[in-house]
Amino acid sequence: GLGIALVAVAVSAITGNTVFDAVGTLGIGVLLAVNSVFLGIEMTSLLVGETASADQLRAIEERLATTPGVRRVVHLRAVHVGPEELLVGAKVLFAPGLSVEEAAGVVDEAEIAVRSSVPTAVWVYIEPGRTGESAPAVAPANHDPEGH
C-alpha cells in the first residue's frame, strides 16, 4: 500500500496530473479489500475450530497407539486453537494391570511422543477409557456425538 501511494504521489507531482493520485488511491483500496477477504476467510476457519489435517491426525493416533502401556485409542480430536497450535484430546485404553503411577507415566510418555511427531500439538489431554468402550478406534473429524 505504501509503495502504491509513493509511486502515485510521485508520478502525480512530477506530471502535475492528479489522476495518478486517484488511481493510486483506488489501487490501495483494492489491495485492502483483497487483504480483508483473505484475512476474513483465514480467521473464520480458526474461530470455528478448524480440525487438524488428516496427516496430523494419523501421526497423533499412531504415536498414541504405539506408546508402551497404551492398548488402543478409543477417541481422538485435534483442533487448531491458533495458526500453529493444536489442542489434542484423546481417550485411550491402557494395558491391563497398570497402577495409577504407571498410567500417569504412560500419559507423560504419550504426550512427549505426540509432541515429537506433531510439534504444533501444544496442548495434549489424554484420559483413560473403559474396557467396554464402543466408540470407533478414531472418530471421524466431522463426527458429533450429540447429533447436532
Side-chain angles (χ1 to χ4, degrees):
L2 290 174
I4 293 172
L6 177 65
V7 170
V9 169
V11 172
S12 188
I14 291 170
T15 64
N17 189 349
T18 58
V19 170
F20 294 108
D21 190 27
V23 169
T25 301
L26 290 173
I28 293 170
V30 168
L31 177 67
L32 289 173
V34 168
N35 191 35
S36 66
V37 168
F38 172 76
L39 287 175
I41 291 168
E42 189 63 30
M43 292 303 114
T44 299
S45 68
L46 291 175
L47 285 173
V48 297
E50 179 181 328
T51 188
S53 72
D55 289 340
Q56 289 172 320
L57 287 170
R58 267 192 300 279
I60 292 168
E61 179 189 12
E62 181 181 317
R63 292 310 293 249
L64 287 172
T66 58
T67 300
V70 173
R71 192 165 60 171
R72 98 177 154 95
V73 178
V74 176
H75 184 78
L76 174 65
R77 285 276 189 271
V79 294
H80 283 274
V81 292
E84 294 297 322
E85 296 177 350
L86 283 176
L87 168 68
V88 177
K91 182 178 281 194
V92 302
L93 292 180
F94 292 112
L98 291 178
S99 69
V100 172
E101 285 289 321
E102 292 169 330
V106 170
V107 168
D108 290 342
E109 288 178 32
E111 288 177 358
I112 291 167
V114 166
R115 287 189 183 108
S116 71
S117 67
V118 181
T120 57
V122 177
W123 294 284
V124 180
Y125 298 101
I126 300 169
E127 78 174 59
R130 294 187 311 234
T131 306
E133 296 280 354
S134 60
V138 174
N142 60 358
H143 174 72
D144 182 5
E146 284 86 36
H148 299 148

